[in-house]
Amino acid sequence: MKINIKAIAIIIIAAVISYSSCKKPEYSFGQLTSPSDLKLTVVVDSADAANPAGMGSGKVKITLASNNTITYRVDLGDGRTQVMGAGTTTVKYNTPGTNDYTITVNAVGTGGSTSTISKKVSVFLAFVIPADILSNLTGGSSKVWVTDRTNPGHVGVGPVDGFTPSYYAAAPNERAECLYDDEITFIKNANNTVSMSINNKGQSFFIAGATAFYGKSGGDNCYDIDVSGIRNLSFMNSTSGSDATNSTGYQFLVPGNGLINFGTGGNTYEILSLTSTQIFLRNIGIDGLAWYQKLKVKP
């Protein structure tokens, strides 16, 4: 019998190929090791005892360390996520004012194993105040303002969706004298932020709806209150829905009780108009109404 060696070889090769193609590949990740001893250090730029949220740069140094880590996925708490390596990385937050963020770190080890740590941080980002606002408000250094007592509507109130004191506008010299002797000083700081100090001669005027907010009781009147000290103002774009026809488009937040010279329980003041000698402010009081104040430069 004659054997066809060539045919047999072809059959053997085909069988080997068929076996090889049916055999499932085997993969190995090696030893799965989770990250350990994960450390997260957060330092706010220029923070100190008086300014725990920093001086306005918005920058934060994040330092990461651990064992058995390939990389770090960092959720900055403001909608952003970054991949970082071990060591220190500086990030900058972009929302003006003082805001709280929770930074969450996932340290990723072999095979995708993770360890997690979180820390909460408060960060102050100074708003870039337009040059004309800064100049008119502070005069380039500091400027003292008082209530424009002879101007109709120097105190007023209207609906929350309006921008004029359509419910009530005070006539010249109509209100209590304690409203008129307050001196409000706006101060330009070295980093082009603004601070404010108030000399209220010991008393400030409150509307009836806000007396409890300031720890008092009674109707519209003058009340003893200590407003001494320097307050760092947080400027931002206005949020009232105003436009160029009725506002400058900017507002500022007064920390603490929010008081300037006329207590409504509100702490955010929109600058409706501003010149080098006059300012027209709007804020939403604790009663949900829009309250207005007109100030002028102290003679």
Side-chain angles (χ1 to χ4, degrees):
M1 181 177 65
K2 185 178 180 180
I3 299 174
N4 190 332
I5 301 298
K6 185 176 181 180
I8 293 174
I10 291 172
I11 292 171
I12 292 172
I13 292 170
V16 170
I17 293 172
S18 177
Y19 175 77
S20 298
S21 64
C22 293
K23 186 178 181 180
K24 293 182 179 180
E26 295 181 1
Y27 301 99
S28 174
F29 290 108
Q31 184 178 2
L32 299 182
T33 306
S34 296
S36 61
D37 199 23
L38 177 58
K39 293 183 176 63
L40 166 62
T41 304
V42 177
V43 178
V44 178
D45 181 45
S46 303
D48 56 26
N51 303 280
M55 293 294 288
S57 73
K59 294 180 180 180
V60 175
K61 290 182 178 179
I62 298 174
T63 302
L64 304 172
S66 65
N67 298 320
N68 307 314
T69 296
I70 297 173
T71 190
Y72 300 89
R73 290 197 299 265
V74 183
D75 184 333
L76 298 175
D78 63 350
R80 293 180 295 164
T81 301
Q82 292 186 201
V83 175
M84 299 181 185
T88 300
T89 303
T90 299
V91 299
K92 184 177 184 298
Y93 288 93
N94 299 309
T95 302
T98 301
N99 298 279
D100 292 333
Y101 304 99
T102 299
I103 298 173
T104 301
V105 177
N106 287 296
V108 183
T110 57
S113 56
T114 62
S115 294
T116 302
I117 191 171
S118 296
K119 280 192 177 180
K120 187 176 181 180
V121 61
S122 292
V123 184
F124 171 55
L125 175 64
F127 185 81
V128 179
I129 305 171
D132 60 331
I133 297 287
L134 194 61
S135 175
N136 286 333
L137 195 59
T138 69
S141 55
S142 66
K143 188 182 287 188
V144 181
W145 300 76
V146 295
T147 300
D148 194 359
R149 61 188 297 168
T150 61
N151 193 335
H154 58 275
V155 170
V157 63
V160 69
D161 58 352
F163 293 91
T164 60
S166 56
Y167 289 167
Y168 163 76
N173 298 309
E174 182 181 358
R175 307 308 306 185
E177 191 62 27
C178 75
L179 177 63
Y180 300 136
D181 65 3
D182 290 13
E183 297 181 356
I184 303 101
T185 302
F186 291 102
I187 306 156
K188 177 185 174 183
N189 300 318
N191 57 354
N192 287 335
T193 59
V194 175
S195 299
M196 182 186 72
S197 66
I198 302 170
N199 180 6
N200 71 343
K201 313 299 193 299
Q203 289 193 325
S204 292
F205 187 88
F206 305 154
I207 63 170
T211 52
F213 176 82
Y214 300 106
K216 310 292 182 179
S217 62
D220 294 356
N221 212 333
C222 300
Y223 294 88
D224 294 340
I225 189 169
D226 182 3
V227 292
S228 60
I230 302 292
R231 305 187 190 191
N232 295 319
L233 307 182
S234 298
F235 277 73
M236 63 202 77
N237 293 315
S238 61
T239 56
S240 66
S242 59
D243 57 40
T245 66
N246 51 31
S247 174
T248 66
Y250 300 101
Q251 64 189 29
F252 60 86
L253 184 148
V254 179
N257 60 25
L259 186 66
I260 296 184
N261 66 328
F262 178 61
T264 69
N267 67 354
T268 302
Y269 295 81
E270 181 170 1
I271 304 173
L272 298 183
S273 63
L274 174 63
T275 69
S276 61
T277 58
Q278 291 183 317
I279 183 171
F280 188 26
L281 300 174
R282 174 185 186 268
N283 80 88
I284 305 304
I286 198 170
D287 55 5
L289 297 174
W291 289 89
Y292 299 86
Q293 303 174 51
K294 292 181 179 179
L295 307 177
K296 66 177 182 179
V297 171
K298 181 183 177 183

